[in-house]
Amino acid sequence: MQYCRMESQCIFAKPLAPNSSAVFVSFEWDTTRAQEFLEKKRAESNLPVTLTHFVGLAASRALANQPDLNGRLSFGNYIPKDTLGISFLVSLDNGKDLGACTVEKIDEKSIEEICQELTSTSKKIRSHTDKQHAQRTGALGFIPTFILEPIMFIMGYITSNLGISLPMLGFKKYPFGTCVITSVGMLGYEHVFVPLPPYTNVPLLITVGGTKRKPIAVGDEVKIRDVINVTLTLDHRYTDGARAMEVYRKFVDGLHDPESCVKSAREQEIKSPAQIQAA
């Protein structure tokens, strides 16, 4: 792994494997303003909005109007998607399993709507009452481990690359959307570099670490703040470094300025993926 420390206090890492197109970007996030924003939203809505919901909100605003990263690769061709979806991974059975909750058209939704949708879906998955999750785990539960990987790769290619649903097995098309968000802080990890699982076929994965207290520079003062390590894993096949930096900057700015994320893409008059494709 090669690392390069940047002036903006982020770390870029590029795997040396010749067949890998993943690029890693890691930075520290002072969550003070985000926590204040979430406290206000909890009081106003009486909903359990969390930092994970807010990361999804900021990511959706950063990815809106970015056709390079909202699409799929099929037979070597890039095909834009009509809508933007982000998948949130849910820990099940004390970390023994994972479920995926995908919020479609997330760039058009508020943090309250994201929270409500994720809360409802995650409850069903954790209580084993979600039909699609039960179909998937039931179909794959009896497959020997040594052949599970190629089967998952084939399933991923059919659903994510070709855009074909497999309803009998509980797999819908584009099951992971455009981006996957996983929070590893609840597992006790502070800083993790997560590779792109081949079967997800998404261009971006965001890993949210655990909160830690540390001294940081705030203006000309040193203060103790709650800080989280956030890592982005980007598939370089989808876009170049300059365009990826635009998304990165907008995402980081959104995390540090919560009010800029309040308006949906529709309210900001940002073109939808379908409108961008038509243009």
Side-chain angles (χ1 to χ4, degrees), residues 51-190:
L51 285 172
T52 299
H53 300 145
F54 178 63
V55 170
L57 182 77
S60 72
R61 298 332 187 227
L63 289 168
N65 211 15
Q66 292 290 339
D68 288 0
L69 288 175
N70 187 33
R72 58 191 173 96
L73 297 175
S74 181
F75 296 107
N77 297 313
Y78 177 78
I79 304 173
K81 292 178 181 176
D82 294 332
T83 60
L84 175 63
I86 292 181
S87 178
F88 297 77
L89 299 188
V90 178
S91 178
L92 306 174
D93 301 327
N94 296 319
K96 295 180 181 179
D97 194 9
L98 283 175
C101 304
T102 303
V103 180
E104 298 292 348
K105 297 184 178 179
I106 189 171
D107 54 320
E108 300 178 8
K109 296 179 179 178
S110 65
I111 192 170
E112 292 89 351
E113 292 172 315
I114 294 170
C115 174
Q116 288 176 317
E117 189 169 337
L118 283 177
T119 300
S120 174
T121 306
S122 61
K123 281 183 178 178
K124 291 179 181 179
I125 292 178
R126 288 191 171 113
S127 63
H128 304 287
T129 57
D130 183 80
K131 183 178 179 181
Q132 286 190 330
H133 183 75
Q135 285 179 311
R136 289 193 296 268
T137 54
L140 300 175
F142 298 100
I143 298 176
T145 304
F146 69 94
I147 62 171
L148 185 59
E149 182 178 351
I151 289 178
M152 288 297 293
F153 178 84
I154 294 171
M155 293 290 191
Y157 193 86
I158 292 173
T159 56
S160 297
N161 289 68
L162 302 182
I164 299 174
S165 298
L166 300 172
M168 296 300 294
L169 298 176
F171 290 90
K172 64 178 183 178
K173 65 178 182 179
Y174 316 132
F176 296 97
T178 295
C179 171
V180 174
I181 295 177
T182 177
S183 295
V184 298
M186 66 185 69
L187 302 177
Y189 295 104
E190 288 186 357

Side-chain angles (χ1 to χ4, degrees), residues 16-69:
L16 296 178
N19 62 343
S20 175
S21 57
V23 177
F24 298 88
V25 183
S26 182
F27 62 93
E28 290 185 333
W29 170 30
D30 176 0
T31 63
T32 303
R33 293 186 64 183
Q35 294 283 16
E36 294 171 352
F37 172 78
L38 293 174
E39 287 179 10
K40 178 182 176 182
K41 288 295 180 182
R42 293 186 197 111
E44 292 175 347
S45 64
N46 199 30
L47 291 171
V49 289
T50 67
L51 285 172
T52 299
H53 300 145
F54 178 63
V55 170
L57 182 77
S60 72
R61 298 332 187 227
L63 289 168
N65 211 15
Q66 292 290 339
D68 288 0
L69 288 175

